[in-house]
Amino acid sequence: PLPPPSAPPPTMITDKTKLLLLAASIAACLSTLLTSSSFQTGSKGLQALSPPRQRLCKKARSEARECVEESADGDGSGSGSKDDGGGESRPSCSDLLSEVSRCERAVERAYRHINMVCASLIQARTVCELEWCENVPDTDEARKACIRECYSPRDALERCSEHHVTRFFRRAGLRSDGTAEKI
């Protein structure tokens, strides 16, 4: 008769292997928790700022609107430069309308950039507003606490936004009010 096959010796997991498995499982759990939008900022997630085209291009829009209205009242052409009486020629309506388009494109590009570069400031403001401004009693004290506690994140985000909008306006040949630089 043959001797019974010898059973392999029981394998033991070393302490080092156990620690590595434990660390890997903890990292996997934390990665799902920390990437969840509900953990970061409630049900809202990380918000993106919407480009305020109406506000930032207000002057360029009003100049174009005035030109179009004047040309509709006058000869109806709306093209060519007009003399404003002081010897200076004004840009044509088509130039002013293209200026509005240039302004709106610059604002769109700036806010795409702002949403990437200022993301931590957007998140800080969102978290602050969730903690101090939402789901709180509608009292003067609660409103004052919201303003006081969220002033710094709001101000930092506003400065970041203004800086990048100004940069993108300059790059597009526009002034800080969204109108073209006169040569």
Side-chain angles (χ1 to χ4, degrees):
L2 293 172
S6 61
T11 55
M12 299 295 275
I13 298 176
T14 64
D15 288 341
K16 185 177 181 180
T17 308
K18 288 178 187 176
L19 287 174
L20 286 174
L21 286 171
L22 179 64
S25 63
I26 289 172
C29 291
L30 285 177
S31 69
T32 58
L33 178 66
L34 294 176
T35 57
S36 166
S37 64
S38 62
F39 175 74
Q40 294 173 350
T41 56
S43 59
K44 290 185 175 183
L46 182 61
Q47 295 178 331
L49 299 179
S50 300
R53 290 181 298 276
Q54 298 285 338
R55 181 174 57 90
L56 293 174
C57 300
K58 187 176 185 175
K59 186 167 183 185
R61 282 175 179 272
S62 69
E63 287 179 2
R65 186 180 314 113
E66 286 173 13
C67 181
V68 169
E69 287 171 357
E70 285 175 8
S71 67
D73 292 342
D75 63 359
S77 68
S79 61
S81 297
K82 295 183 180 178
D83 189 357
D84 66 359
E88 275 185 42
S89 63
R90 290 184 3 207
S92 68
C93 292
S94 61
D95 290 342
L96 291 173
L97 290 170
S98 77
E99 191 176 295
V100 171
S101 295
R102 218 170 42 177
C103 178
E104 289 179 346
R105 271 194 314 276
V107 171
E108 285 286 338
R109 289 180 180 147
Y111 271 79
R112 257 185 271 147
H113 185 75
I114 288 165
N115 283 325
M116 289 187 299
V117 174
C118 306
S120 63
L121 298 173
I122 295 169
Q123 187 175 24
R125 186 204 64 186
T126 303
V127 168
C128 182
E129 289 175 351
L130 284 170
E131 288 180 9
W132 290 96
C133 305
E134 290 188 17
N135 300 322
V136 294
D138 191 22
T139 63
D140 285 340
E141 187 177 312
R143 281 189 291 278
K144 287 177 185 174
C146 170
I147 292 168
R148 180 183 64 246
E149 296 298 328
C150 296
Y151 172 78
S152 181
R154 285 176 179 161
D155 184 56
L157 179 58
E158 184 64 29
R159 280 185 280 121
C160 184
S161 299
E162 285 175 8
H163 169 75
H164 292 291
V165 166
T166 301
R167 239 183 72 220
F168 276 79
F169 273 1
R170 224 178 300 132
R171 198 182 287 175
L174 301 170
R175 290 191 213 129
S176 61
D177 62 0
T179 57
E181 295 177 344
K182 310 294 187 243
I183 301 173

